[in-house]
Amino acid sequence: MASALDQTDMVQIPNTPTLVAEENVDHKKRVKIQPTAQESFAMEHVVHQVQNPEPRLRGPAIKDKSENNARKDRLPLQGEYFDNDKGDRFFFRHKLGDGAMGHVFLSVFGGRTVAIKTEKYSTGMLPMEIKVLLSIKRHQGHHFCDIIDYGTIRREYNYMVISLLGKDLYRLRSEQPSRSFTLNTTTKIALETIDAIDELHKIGYLSRDVKPSNFAPGMREHGQHKTIYMFDFGLAKKYVDRDNRKMKSRGEVGWRGTVRYGSLQAHKRMDLGRRDDVECWFYMLIEMYVGELPWRHMTDRTLVGQAKLSVRNESRQTFFNRIPRQFERIMDMIDAYSFEVRPDYPHLKALINEIRVENNIPDRCKWDWQVEESQHSELTETTSVMSDMAIMAEQGGTNYTDRACENQ
Ligand SMILES: Nc1ncnc2c1ncn2[C@@H]1O[C@H](COP(=O)(O)OP(=O)(O)OP(=O)(O)O)[C@@H](O)[C@H]1O
């Protein structure tokens, strides 16, 4: 992957207002708390709405075709279709999952199964995701979905067409009889996912929402089942400025992320850096191997933060009991990182590989879900087993910012 950082400032979704992404605001000149991507989008929306040409009507007939209803901010439904600007037709075959902001559908494009992520036109989170995926594509990121198309339909919804993935890691673990993965699968996931995080950081972005439900293996039919892919960049943020200089911490900015996997700094509502993505990765690994985290049943964010502190102090021994000692070293390494520092990804990987060697895990080993996988068709694999709401509830609420939280 190239190390040059992306200099592009804006993503223009055809027929949509321009998103001025969060990171494009000059930090030094800013006096107020930085607007979220959503707020920036809303501001731009007002400015650009008048200038944007009228989008041509596309897609299926809508029952009530009155002018007002044709412009209704809405999510598409299963069975509908739309045509993109090049005349390609995309059907929303069936729903693969629900996110906080919209639906993800299965579709077919060029004889290949794909996923289409949608959100209401006014939501404005998708442009950031598109921006990240386009940047990744330019840098040939290995652990990310290919972005095939994106746009907006009649000011009703925004969409992006991306490569189809298998079930996410949260679902796959939940389906294991023990609700945990073997050391082989956990360490293989650890190596794949730290590579994904490293790749994202190399192109100048933070995820700020590293968690099992944002990673999934690729599809066997596409020959991608040995790779774990990272998706969902709704909370992503650039941590370097236009001149590729690392931006200074903005101090206290509010909560970002998912309670269960959030870093100690996130609990302090501080600006997040690369080390925080890696801390989330660490909690994710422990959960996958042990089957749960001590704060699994806690919903109060403060209590979860206290429980995370406790595993560094009074409950350290219990927490690290019966798991490879390298995990404790990993946590101590992460805790020693300051905001600016680049995590030592090769060292983290070396510790994971040490676990594999000590436990005589052969290099070529199947994922835990591969036995079960062979008994089902690939299409069934992508269908949700747990409801998305159940997963959100399990994780102590899905990703959100303080602002979104207040709106709940
Ligand atoms: N490329 C894909 N292939 C298959 N399924 C996908 C893909 N992208 C997303 N999904 C499914 O859709 C669900 C929601 O997607 P995603 O996490 O991107 O949406 P979101 O609105 O950002 O959700 P969240 O509430 O977790 O932030 C995922 O959990 C997954 O089940």
Side-chain angles (χ1 to χ4, degrees), residues 50-209:
V50 192
Q51 300 160 5
N52 270 350
E54 195 64 5
R56 69 181 168 87
L57 290 183
R58 295 180 290 185
I62 297 168
K63 275 185 189 158
D64 183 349
K65 282 188 170 177
S66 73
E67 191 70 357
N68 282 343
N69 278 324
R71 304 269 157 113
K72 209 170 145 199
D73 204 27
R74 69 173 185 107
L75 287 169
L77 301 170
Q78 180 174 325
E80 288 184 11
Y81 68 83
F82 68 89
D83 297 329
N84 70 6
D85 287 333
K86 294 173 215 117
D88 306 311
R89 179 159 294 182
F90 295 88
F91 280 89
F92 297 113
R93 299 257 166 146
H94 75 246
K95 214 194 273 183
L96 292 168
D98 276 325
M101 300 298 173
H103 304 319
V104 180
F105 294 94
L106 179 84
S107 190
V108 177
F109 176 64
R112 197 179 146 182
T113 43
V114 292
I116 309 182
K117 184 164 178 175
T118 61
E119 67 169 15
K120 285 182 184 172
Y121 178 72
S122 65
T123 307
M125 299 296 278
L126 219 45
M128 178 44 123
E129 288 213 49
I130 293 164
K131 183 174 153 64
V132 175
L133 284 176
L134 289 175
S135 179
I136 286 165
K137 191 170 179 151
R138 276 195 296 278
H139 292 98
Q140 298 174 348
H142 179 60
H143 291 275
F144 305 89
C145 291
D146 182 26
I147 177 158
I148 298 154
D149 190 31
Y150 57 91
T152 189
I153 300 299
R154 291 184 299 267
R155 295 190 184 177
E156 293 175 3
Y157 56 86
N158 302 324
Y159 73 89
M160 66 173 184
V161 183
I162 51 178
S163 39
L164 183 69
L165 301 174
K167 287 180 190 173
D168 66 62
L169 295 183
Y170 193 89
R171 280 176 212 279
L172 287 168
R173 182 185 65 81
S174 304
E175 288 170 21
Q176 294 298 307
S178 60
R179 287 182 66 85
S180 62
F181 289 136
T182 57
L183 200 52
N184 165 48
T185 290
T186 305
T187 48
K188 262 171 79 158
I189 289 173
L191 296 171
E192 287 283 305
T193 51
I194 197 68
D195 270 350
I197 295 168
D198 186 11
E199 280 191 345
L200 185 70
H201 290 175
K202 272 196 183 117
I203 61 160
Y205 283 96
L206 303 171
S207 155
R208 303 195 298 177
D209 203 19

